[in-house]
Amino acid sequence: MSESPDARSLLSASSQLNLMEMDAIDDKEFDIPQVDTPPTLESILNELEDEEEPFVLEDTCMLNTDNMDAHSCDTSSLASSDSGDPAHLKRKRRTVDLNATVHGSVLRHSLLKGISAQIVSAADKVDAGLPTAITVSGVIAVGTSHGLALVFDTNQALRLCLGTKATGAEFGAVSALSVNHDCSRLLCGFAKGQITMWDLASGKLLRTITDAHPPGTAILHVKFTDDPTLAVCNDSGGSVFELAFRRVMGMRSCDSRCLFSGSKGEVCCIEPLRAPPDFRDHPITQYSLLAMASLTKILVIGLKPSLKVWMTFPYSKSDPASVPQLAWQFVPVQKMVNPILAFCKGDTVHFLLVKKEETGTIHVIKQKQLHLSCDIISLSWINSSTLVLVDSHEKLQVVDRPSQEVLETLDLEQVQLVYNSRHFKSLATGGNVSQALALVGEKACYQSVSSYAGQIVYLGTKSAHIMALRNWRERIDCLLKQEHFVEALSLAWSFHEGTAKAVVGLFGDPLKRKGVVGDKMVEILFQFAEHALKKCPDQGKIQVMEQHFHDVVPVLVDYCLLLKRADLIFNQLYAQLVENMVAKGVFLESLESYIVADRLGHLTSPIMRDLLAHYHGNGMMDSLERCIVHLDVTSLDIQQVVQVCWANQLYDAMIYVFNSGMNDYITPMEKLFAVIGPQLRAGRSLKDEEVVMGNKLLVYISCCLAGRAYPLGDIPEDLVVQVKYQVFEFLIRLHSADSLEEEEEEVFPFIRTLLHFDTREFLNVLAMTFEDFKNDKQALEYQQRIVDILLQVMVDNPDFTPSQVGGLFTFLARQLAKPDNTLFVNRKLFDQVLEFLCCPDDDSRHTERQQVLLELLQVGGVVQFNEGRLLALAEKAKFYQICEFLYEKKHLYDRIIDCYLRDPLRKGEIFSYIHNLLSMPGYSPEEKQTVRDKVLQHIKELVTLDPSKSADLVMFHFVKEVQQIISELQADQLLFQFLSCLLEPREGHHSGTILPQERDLHELLLDLLCRFGPNQLLSFLQTSQHYRLEEAIEITQKYNRNEATAYLLEKKGDVHGAFTVLLETLKEKLSLLTAESDRGADGGEGRQYEEERDSESKLTEVKDSLNDIIVLCHRNSDSLYQQHREALWFPLLETMMASQKLC
C-alpha cells in the first residue's frame, strides 16, 4: 500500500523535530482557536516552542514523563485535599495520629501535548479523521476514523503515518491496534473487518488479511501474543480467531483458526497473557494463555501446545449493559511470581491466580474479590499491587489490591474518552450484531486505554493523556506545594514504616530506605518550623498565636521522637522556635505529654532550665512535678530542683530526686516527719497540705518496703533489700536525729507519729509488707521487732483511743491467724487479744472484731483457747457467728437456730439454714429431729419474721404439724398472714400437696379474710375449691360481706337470693347518699368542700353497687323465664326511681 502525498508531507515535516506542545490548544477543550490567517500545516509542524516536552524512555521499556510535570494536570486524592482544610485542624493541641491514612497524589496525570497537537492537526489539515484507537509499547500508535495509523516515537515525534484515506474509505476506521513485543510490527484492525500488518522500521505494509473471519463484522480486538508469529482477533459477531503468520519462499501468508464461535455466546473482550521482558522464560508462557470474556462468562484457554480450555467462570448477576474487562499481571505471591487475571463485569473485580503445577497442568486459584460501588468500564494494572479503574461516570480510581483501599479518585471528564460503540454495533457493515452486544458497546472504550510498563495512556477525542505513579518524593512534594506539611509528614512516615501504598522509587534494604526517607522528613520538619514562624500572626489575641503553634509544635516533636532524632528537638528546632516567645512557651508546655509518656527521658541543661523557669513562672507546678518524676536526673540541677520542689510542696518530685539522683531513701522521710511529727505530738490537727504530706509518707514507706520506686517504677534490683532494711532501721529508731536532750522526746518517735496520723492505714502498710517476709530471716526479725514496739507504744497508753488499740489487736489477730505465722506473742497477750475482741462493753467495729476472731478460729487457733470460756465470751459479746462455729463442731444444730434468731444481721438466713439441714444428707435423724422440735418451739417467731418463707418451710417439712402450728399462732392477724401464704396456689414440686383437714383450713382462712382482708375475699372464693358452700355462706353472712354472699348464692344457683342481697346493699348505699346530701344542704360553708368529697365517694359506691346488680341480671337473664327476669329488673328500677322521688 502506497502512502498518500498528504501523509508523506506530514511525515517529512514531523521528522525534523520532537512532538511539541501547542500553545494554541486550549487546556480544557484541546481545540485550535480561530485565527484571521490560518497557518499552513508545515508551518505549524515546524513551529518551535519555548519549552520542549519530549516523550523519553527511562529505560528500554519504561515511558518517562518526569519532565512533563510542568504542564501536567496536578491531582490529589479527595482524602488529602479534605485533610488539608484548616477548619479541620483547629483543636487545642495537634498530635500525630499514626492510624490516619494519607496517600497524597498517587497518579501523575499528564497531557501528551505533542501527540495531542498532531492528532488535532492531522484531523484538520490532512483529513486524517478523529482518533479511534491507541496502543502503547516502545512506541505509541493512534488509529483514526479515516483508516490512518499515526506512529510516534518516545520523544512524541511523528515517525510514521500508515495507510491512506483511499484505504480508509475501503476498510473503514481503525478499530483496533496492537504492537508486538519488540516494536517491529503493528497490527491494525478495521471497522469493515480487514486486518493489516505493518513493518514499524520501514513503514511498509506486510500483510492485508481479508479472510481471517466471517465477512460483514468489525474487528473489535486484535492482539499479538508473545509469539511474534501468533496473534488473536475478536470480531463483532462475538467470535475469536487465531492468526498464524507464515513466510514460505519469501511469500507472507496468514492461517486463521476459529477459537470460539459467537453462536455459543458472544465474546466482547480478549486478552492474551504477555510476559514482560523479565518473565519471558516463565514456565507459564509455553501455553500461550488467552483470556476471553463473553457476555455470560470468562474463559481461559491455552493455544499451545494444543488448544485446551483450562477454566470457565460464570459472572454473578450484573447489569446487561456492563462492559466485561480483562487484565493480566505478574504478581509475587508466596515467594513465587505468577500471573493473576483480574476480570469484572459491573462493580466487582475478581482475581484468579494462574500457576503451572509440576504435573504440567494449569491450576487456577480464586483470590479475594474487590467490590466497588460503581459500574467499571476500564480495568488496568499499573503495577503488581495497584489497579486503575474507570467507571461509567468517567471517574478514575486508583485501588490498592491487597488492602482494597481506594488511594485516589480523579475526574476524567476533561479527557473526553473515545468510545468504541460504532464498532460494537458494526455500523460500517450494516449493524448486523445482536442487541446484547450493541448494548455492551454503548460503554465500551477498550481501544482508548492502553497500559505498558507501569504507565497507562488514555485517548480522548482531541488529545492523549498518560497516567503514571508518582515516585515517593514527588507525592510528598505535591503536598508541600500546597503547604500541607502535616499530611506530607504523615505520608513520609508511611514510606518510612513500609505501610504506604503504590510506592515507587524506594530501593534497597529496609534500613537504607528508612535512612533516605528519614533525611527527607528532617528537611520537611525544618521547612514546617520555618513556615510556622513566618505565618504566625504578628498581632491579635495571644490565644490565636498559641493555637497557631499548638497546631505545629507537637507535630514537630512527635516526628523527631518517632525518627529517634531528639537531637533535632534540642538543637536546631528549639533554636528556631526560641526566637518567638509564644512558640517557645508552647514548645516547653508540649514537652510534658512526651515526658510523662516516657517518650522523652532526657533534656539538655538549657532546655531544663527554661522548662523549670517557664513552669514555675506560670504556676504550672503540678505539670512540673509530673515532668520531674519521669526525667533522667542527670539532666537536672538537683539542688535547684529540690529547693523549688520543697518551696512549692512538690513532694513526689523531691522524693524522686533524692531516690534517683543520690540513692538516698531516708532524707525524704526525715524531711516529711519533721513537718507533721511536732504537730501530731502536740495534739494539734493537721492542715490539708500536711494531711497530703502524711498520706504521701505512708505510700512512700509502703513502696520502699515492697521494692517499688516512688511515685512510679521499681527500685533497682541491687538496692531493693538494702532500701527495705534502711527503712526498717529508720522506723525503729529510738530517737530522731535532730532531737535535743532537754526536749525529752518519747521513744520510737517515727512509729508513734505514723500511728497518731492514721493507725489503720499504717497497720495496713505493715500487713502488706509482712506478706513478702516468708523466707527472709532478717526481715522476719524486723517484723517481730516492729510488733514488739507497737505493743510497747500502744498498750495501756492513754494517748491512743480504744478504737486505735482495737485496730492494733485486729492487725495482730490477722497476722496470728496466718498458717505460716512466725510471730511470737506472749500467751498473756494472746488471752488479752481474746478478751479485747469479745469485750461486751465496746460496740465499735463489732462485725470486724467478730470476723477477725472467726478467721482466727478457722485456721486452727481455737486450740489455744478453752472452748467453754470462749463460748461464754462469745455469747456475752453477741458473737453469734462464733457461737455457730462452736455449736457446729459439737453438732448442736438446734442451738444454731437460736444464734440466727438472736443475730439481727442474719435473721433472714434462718429459713435457708433450716431447709438445707432438713433436706441434705449427712445429718442423723436425731439431729434433724432436734432441729424440727426447735423450729416448732419458735414457729410463732418465725412466722412473725417472714410468713411467706415460714409457709414454704411448713409445706416442705412440717405438713403433718399444721394443726399444731395453727394452735401455736394465737394472734388472729398472724394466723391470717400465715394461712394466706400457706394456702395460696402453688406451682412446681409442691403444687399438689394435700394438707390435713384442708377444707377446715380454707374455711378458717375465709373467716379471717372477712375480718382482715375483705378486698381479697372475692378473689379467694373464685380461686379456691376447698370450702363448703353452705358453711361459706354462713361465714360471709355472719360478717355482712354481702358481695361475697351474693357470689356464693349465685354459685349455689339461688339467683334471686343473690339479687336480694345486692339490692339491699344498693338501698343502704342510696340511703347513705341521700342522707349525706341532706346534711350538705344544712351545713355551713366551711364544711362544703369536705362534704362534696364524701358525696363523690358515696356516689361512686352507689355506681359500683348498681353495676354489680346489672351485671348479675345480664349474666342470668338468658337462663330465666320472662316472669323471673321481670322479678329482677322491675325491683331494681323501682329502687332507683324511689331514690329519685326522695331527691
Side-chain angles (χ1 to χ4, degrees):
M1 182 182 294
S2 62
E3 296 175 344
S4 67
D6 290 337
R8 285 195 296 272
S9 173
L10 187 63
L11 282 172
S12 60
S14 64
S15 63
Q16 300 175 23
L17 74 167
N18 294 343
L19 253 65
M20 304 296 178
E21 68 177 23
M22 302 294 289
D23 284 346
I25 295 180
D26 181 77
D27 282 342
K28 186 171 184 181
E29 299 297 335
F30 311 118
D31 204 355
I32 299 178
Q34 294 183 356
V35 293
D36 295 336
T37 305
T40 64
L41 176 61
E42 186 169 325
S43 66
I44 292 173
L45 296 178
N46 284 283
E47 182 180 353
L48 292 174
E49 304 297 335
D50 295 334
E51 180 182 351
E52 291 187 348
E53 188 176 297
F55 187 86
V56 298
L57 285 175
E58 190 169 284
D59 54 40
T60 57
C61 64
M62 179 71 73
L63 297 176
N64 185 332
T65 59
D66 284 352
N67 52 6
M68 295 182 187
D69 202 39
H71 300 280
S72 69
C73 305
D74 276 336
T75 60
S76 61
S77 69
L78 297 178
S80 67
S81 62
D82 286 345
S83 63
D85 184 353
H88 295 280
L89 310 181
K90 295 299 179 184
R91 52 185 182 269
K92 177 59 181 171
R93 178 170 294 178
R94 183 170 189 170
T95 55
V96 173
D97 181 4
L98 295 179
N99 295 320
T101 303
V102 176
H103 301 298
S105 176
V106 177
L107 274 188
R108 184 198 308 115
H109 172 192
S110 301
L111 168 65
L112 295 176
K113 297 184 180 180
I115 294 177
S116 300
Q118 292 285 11
I119 290 172
V120 175
S121 298
D124 287 351
K125 306 307 178 184
V126 297
D127 196 23
L130 296 175
T132 57
I134 193 167
T135 188
V136 59
S137 183
V139 296
I140 288 184
V142 178
T144 73
S145 59
H146 289 175
L148 299 180
L150 308 178
V151 182
F152 300 89
D153 67 12
T154 56
N155 295 317
Q156 298 193 64
L158 179 60
R159 292 307 181 196
L160 295 169
C161 179
L162 306 175
T164 65
K165 287 187 288 184
T167 308
E170 180 184 356
F171 293 172
V174 174
S175 58
L177 293 168
S178 180
V179 178
N180 66 355
H181 68 82
D182 63 358
C183 295
S184 62
R185 298 289 186 268
L186 172 69
L187 283 174
C188 298
F190 291 89
K192 294 184 180 181
Q194 296 84 351
I195 300 172
T196 59
M197 178 187 285
W198 299 85
D199 185 333
L200 290 178
S202 63
K204 290 181 179 180
L205 176 65
L206 301 179
R207 289 180 175 86
T208 300
I209 306 166
T210 57
D211 57 354
H213 65 104
T217 56
I219 296 295
L220 300 183
H221 302 276
V222 62
K223 306 267 187 177
F224 273 111
T225 67
D226 277 340
D227 182 350
T229 66
L230 202 62
V232 288
C233 70
N234 174 206
D235 64 19
S236 58
S239 297
V240 180
F241 295 87
E242 177 189 77
L243 306 177
F245 305 118
R246 303 281 185 267
R247 187 174 182 181
V248 181
M249 304 295 291
M251 296 295 292
R252 289 185 172 89
S253 63
C254 176
D255 297 332
S256 173
R257 176 173 60 157
C258 182
L259 302 177
F260 188 89
S261 172
S263 61
K264 298 179 181 178
E266 294 152 308
V267 171
C268 53
C269 180
I270 60 173
E271 195 65 47
L273 174 61
R274 296 182 64 177
D278 293 344
F279 299 105
R280 292 275 161 77
D281 296 328
H282 194 284
I284 203 77
T285 59
Q286 68 188 34
Y287 294 95
S288 286
L289 294 181
L290 173 67
M292 301 185 293
S294 75
L295 299 179
T296 58
K297 59 186 175 182
I298 297 292
L299 297 93
V300 175
I301 66 173
L303 303 180
K304 295 179 179 180
S306 60
L307 186 63
K308 184 171 183 178
V309 178
W310 288 110
M311 183 216 71
T312 60
F313 191 97
Y315 299 126
S316 54
K317 290 183 179 180
S318 62
D319 185 348
S322 296
V323 186
Q325 298 291 325
L326 298 167
W328 288 100
Q329 176 69 29
F330 280 84
V331 176
V333 178
Q334 297 178 347
K335 299 182 180 180
M336 294 288 291
V337 177
N338 283 298
I340 284 184
L341 175 65
F343 68 90
C344 67
K345 186 177 188 294
D347 59 2
T348 303
V349 183
H350 300 269
F351 300 94
L352 300 176
L353 174 65
V354 181
K355 57 190 297 188
K356 179 188 174 185
E357 301 291 351
E358 294 181 358
T359 58
T361 59
I362 298 293
H363 188 42
V364 180
I365 305 168
K366 189 176 180 180
Q367 306 288 294
K368 184 179 179 182
Q369 64 188 34
L370 167 67
H371 182 78
L372 299 167
S373 55
C374 61
D375 186 17
I376 300 167
I377 64 170
S378 174
L379 171 65
S380 307
W381 294 88
I382 200 164
N383 67 17
S384 60
S385 62
T386 312
L387 291 151
V388 178
L389 314 171
V390 180
D391 66 20
S392 55
H393 298 290
E394 296 191 359
K395 294 291 190 295
L396 179 147
Q397 298 184 52
V398 184
V399 182
D400 178 65
R401 188 182 76 89
S403 67
Q404 301 200 345
E405 186 176 356
V406 177
L407 307 182
E408 185 172 16
T409 301
L410 305 176
D411 192 344
L412 291 187
E413 184 180 0
Q414 62 175 348
V415 173
Q416 298 181 347
L417 272 176
V418 172
Y419 288 88
N420 313 134
S421 308
R422 291 178 60 84
H423 311 316
F424 271 76
K425 296 177 181 179
S426 199
L427 297 181
T429 59
N432 52 339
V433 299
S434 70
Q435 290 183 350
L437 192 63
L439 183 61
V440 169
E442 292 291 342
K443 293 185 286 188
C445 59
Y446 296 112
Q447 305 305 323
S448 305
V449 183
S450 180
S451 62
Y452 178 74
Q455 298 180 342
I456 307 173
V457 175
Y458 293 90
L459 180 65
T461 55
K462 299 175 182 178
S463 59
H465 300 251
I466 190 164
M467 304 286 183
L469 290 175
R470 297 181 186 273
N471 67 42
W472 69 276
R473 287 183 184 274
E474 196 177 345
R475 285 167 65 180
I476 294 172
D477 290 339
C478 283
L479 291 170
L480 293 177
K481 287 178 184 177
Q482 302 170 63
E483 297 184 351
H484 294 167
F485 291 96
V486 177
E487 287 76 11
L489 285 165
S490 179
L491 178 59
W493 182 249
S494 67
F495 290 133
H496 186 277
E497 293 301 291
T499 59
K501 311 292 191 301
V503 182
V504 175
L506 272 178
F507 307 106
D509 61 80
L511 195 61
K512 182 179 179 182
R513 292 199 297 269
K514 282 176 180 279
V516 172
V517 177
D519 292 342
K520 179 66 175 178
M521 290 184 72
V522 171
E523 293 177 20
I524 301 172
L525 290 171
F526 288 135
Q527 291 177 34
F528 192 17
E530 185 178 354
H531 175 268
L533 290 168
K534 286 182 180 178
K535 295 292 183 178
C536 177
D538 294 331
Q539 54 189 356
K541 292 184 178 180
I542 188 68
Q543 291 89 343
V544 176
M545 299 176 69
E546 287 179 345
Q547 184 60 57
H548 172 77
F549 286 109
H550 273 305
D551 289 338
V552 176
V553 172
V555 177
L556 297 175
V557 177
D558 260 318
Y559 280 110
C560 285
L561 294 177
L562 286 171
L563 291 169
K564 299 179 181 179
R565 293 293 306 274
D567 58 299
L568 295 178
I569 303 173
F570 302 143
N571 299 324
Q572 296 96 316
L573 284 177
Y574 186 61
Q576 277 184 277
L577 296 173
V578 79
E579 299 172 5
N580 185 300
M581 290 305 296
V582 177
K584 177 182 177 182
V586 170
F587 174 82
L588 293 172
E589 290 174 18
S590 70
L591 293 182
E592 179 189 353
S593 60
Y594 303 101
I595 295 170
V596 170
D598 293 323
R599 294 182 62 192
L600 192 59
H602 180 84
L603 299 180
T604 60
S605 296
I607 292 182
M608 188 62 217
R609 282 196 302 270
D610 290 349
L611 183 137
L612 200 62
H614 179 81
Y615 281 40
H616 187 263
N618 289 277
M620 300 169 61
M621 303 316 298
D622 289 342
S623 296
L624 178 60
E625 184 169 42
R626 282 193 292 272
C627 290
I628 289 174
V629 299
H630 285 82
L631 284 172
D632 179 2
V633 292
T634 58
S635 63
L636 305 177
D637 182 337
I638 292 179
Q639 184 176 0
Q640 180 189 11
V641 171
V642 168
Q643 290 175 352
V644 171
C645 292
W646 188 255
N648 293 278
Q649 301 172 4
L650 307 183
Y651 305 120
D652 288 358
M654 181 199 69
I655 292 171
Y656 172 79
V657 171
F658 273 105
N659 291 174
S660 301
M662 297 178 279
N663 287 339
D664 184 350
Y665 291 83
I666 302 304
T667 301
M669 288 194 290
E670 290 177 337
K671 284 182 170 290
L672 295 176
F673 272 117
V675 175
I676 66 172
Q679 302 292 332
L680 291 170
R681 287 196 293 272
R684 291 191 292 268
S685 59
L686 297 178
K687 300 176 184 176
D688 289 345
E689 58 269 20
E690 291 170 341
V691 171
V692 170
M693 191 182 303
N695 288 327
K696 287 184 182 295
L697 181 57
L698 279 172
V699 176
Y700 175 60
I701 291 172
S702 174
C703 288
C704 290
L705 294 177
R708 297 191 305 273
Y710 182 88
L712 48 92
D714 294 301
I715 296 173
E717 287 188 20
D718 57 330
L719 294 177
V720 170
V721 176
Q722 177 185 336
V723 170
K724 186 188 298 185
Y725 292 166
Q726 285 179 356
V727 172
F728 274 129
E729 286 293 341
F730 174 79
L731 290 177
I732 63 178
R733 283 184 188 175
L734 200 60
H735 293 286
S736 57
D738 55 353
S739 64
L740 301 176
E741 292 183 8
E742 58 270 17
E743 288 183 358
E744 297 182 1
E745 181 185 62
E746 292 183 294
V747 294
F748 310 117
F750 302 125
I751 288 181
R752 285 179 187 273
T753 298
L754 292 172
L755 289 170
H756 280 298
F757 176 72
D758 194 327
T759 306
R760 187 179 187 82
E761 290 305 322
F762 176 51
L763 294 175
N764 284 341
V765 168
L766 293 177
M768 287 188 292
T769 304
F770 291 172
E771 291 288 338
D772 301 326
F773 281 7
K774 297 176 182 177
N775 300 314
D776 188 338
K777 182 179 179 182
Q778 181 66 43
L780 290 173
E781 292 177 4
Y782 280 122
Q783 178 184 3
Q784 184 67 54
R785 177 65 174 145
I786 291 282
V787 169
D788 292 342
I789 293 172
L790 290 174
L791 292 170
Q792 179 183 342
V793 168
M794 295 189 70
V795 175
D796 298 328
N797 188 339
D799 291 343
F800 294 97
T801 64
S803 175
Q804 288 175 309
V805 177
L808 170 63
F809 284 123
T810 301
F811 163 75
L812 288 176
R814 291 186 190 278
Q815 297 302 314
L816 294 171
K818 292 178 181 177
D820 54 354
N821 170 55
T822 59
L823 276 178
F824 172 76
V825 178
N826 187 292
R827 173 70 191 186
K828 183 178 179 180
L829 180 60
F830 201 79
D831 291 337
Q832 189 176 352
V833 171
L834 178 62
E835 292 282 352
F836 170 77
L837 291 175
C838 296
C839 177
D841 300 327
D842 185 4
D843 289 335
S844 65
R845 299 182 179 178
H846 178 276
T847 302
E848 182 180 350
R849 288 187 290 119
Q850 179 177 217
Q851 188 62 36
V852 168
L853 183 55
L854 189 62
E855 289 176 7
L856 190 61
L857 296 175
Q858 287 172 341
V859 296
V862 70
V863 297
Q864 301 182 38
F865 300 108
N866 178 285
E867 290 191 14
R869 179 169 175 270
L870 177 60
L871 184 59
L873 287 171
E875 289 178 341
K876 190 175 181 181
K878 300 180 180 179
F879 283 0
Y880 299 115
Q881 290 185 54
I882 304 298
C883 295
E884 178 185 349
F885 177 82
L886 295 172
Y887 289 145
E888 183 89 30
K889 290 177 67 68
K890 296 180 178 183
H891 301 283
L892 300 174
Y893 302 109
D894 56 325
R895 297 279 189 89
I896 294 176
I897 293 177
D898 290 323
C899 293
Y900 274 102
L901 287 172
R902 293 162 62 189
D903 190 343
L905 297 178
R906 299 197 304 151
K907 263 190 177 183
E909 300 174 21
I910 188 172
F911 300 99
S912 298
Y913 175 77
I914 295 170
H915 173 69
N916 291 336
L917 189 142
L918 295 177
S919 303
M920 294 169 61
Y923 300 95
S924 68
E926 293 79 12
E927 291 169 347
K928 289 187 177 183
Q929 188 58 46
T930 59
V931 171
R932 294 175 64 87
D933 294 343
K934 178 65 74 171
V935 170
L936 292 173
Q937 180 183 341
H938 291 282
I939 191 65
K940 186 175 181 179
E941 191 174 351
L942 291 173
V943 172
T944 305
L945 180 62
D946 192 322
S948 178
K949 290 183 178 179
S950 298
D952 290 339
L953 201 61
V954 168
M955 289 297 292
F956 272 97
H957 306 290
F958 297 93
V959 173
K960 295 179 181 179
E961 291 85 0
V962 168
Q963 292 299 327
Q964 178 185 346
I965 292 170
I966 290 174
S967 63
E968 290 286 337
L969 301 177
Q970 299 172 356
D972 290 343
Q973 180 72 39
L974 191 62
L975 181 59
F976 165 62
Q977 293 175 355
F978 173 70
L979 282 178
S980 296
C981 297
L982 185 69
L983 300 179
E984 67 180 0
R986 295 174 182 273
E987 296 180 359
H989 181 65
H990 289 275
S991 59
T993 302
I994 299 176
L995 295 167
Q997 301 178 348
E998 191 155 3
R999 285 190 172 187
D1000 293 340
L1001 293 176
H1002 279 263
E1003 289 166 9
L1004 176 58
L1005 177 58
L1006 178 59
D1007 188 287
L1008 294 169
L1009 279 168
C1010 289
R1011 295 162 59 192
F1012 301 112
N1015 294 333
Q1016 307 168 36
L1017 198 53
L1018 272 178
S1019 175
F1020 172 76
L1021 291 172
Q1022 290 165 357
T1023 55
S1024 175
Q1025 304 297 324
H1026 299 287
Y1027 56 83
R1028 291 165 293 187
L1029 208 54
E1030 293 296 338
E1031 283 75 3
I1033 292 172
E1034 289 180 12
I1035 294 170
T1036 56
Q1037 288 176 338
K1038 174 184 174 183
Y1039 293 104
N1040 294 321
R1041 300 303 179 191
N1042 293 340
E1043 291 178 7
T1045 303
Y1047 170 80
L1048 291 169
L1049 288 170
E1050 183 184 6
K1051 186 175 181 181
K1052 182 182 175 183
D1054 186 1
V1055 177
H1056 286 281
F1059 175 78
T1060 302
V1061 171
L1062 291 178
L1063 188 61
E1064 288 300 318
T1065 304
L1066 176 61
K1067 288 178 180 179
E1068 290 176 9
K1069 292 181 178 178
L1070 281 170
S1071 176
L1072 290 172
L1073 178 62
T1074 305
E1076 182 68 29
S1077 60
D1078 291 343
R1079 282 197 302 273
D1082 298 337
E1085 294 182 2
R1087 297 176 55 196
Q1088 186 175 354
Y1089 174 74
E1090 183 179 348
E1091 289 169 352
E1092 286 179 358
R1093 189 173 57 187
D1094 291 342
S1095 296
E1096 288 178 5
S1097 174
K1098 287 182 171 54
L1099 180 60
T1100 301
E1101 291 178 5
V1102 169
K1103 288 179 180 178
D1104 292 341
S1105 183
L1106 177 61
N1107 187 61
D1108 290 341
I1109 298 178
I1110 292 172
V1111 170
L1112 174 70
C1113 294
H1114 272 298
R1115 191 165 54 238
N1116 294 281
S1117 289
D1118 293 341
S1119 61
L1120 296 175
Y1121 294 111
Q1122 177 68 28
Q1123 183 181 358
H1124 293 156
R1125 288 200 295 269
E1126 290 176 357
L1128 293 181
W1129 289 106
F1130 285 167
L1132 174 60
L1133 182 59
E1134 289 173 3
T1135 301
M1136 296 306 297
M1137 294 302 293
S1139 66
Q1140 291 291 326
K1141 291 175 184 178
L1142 290 173
C1143 294

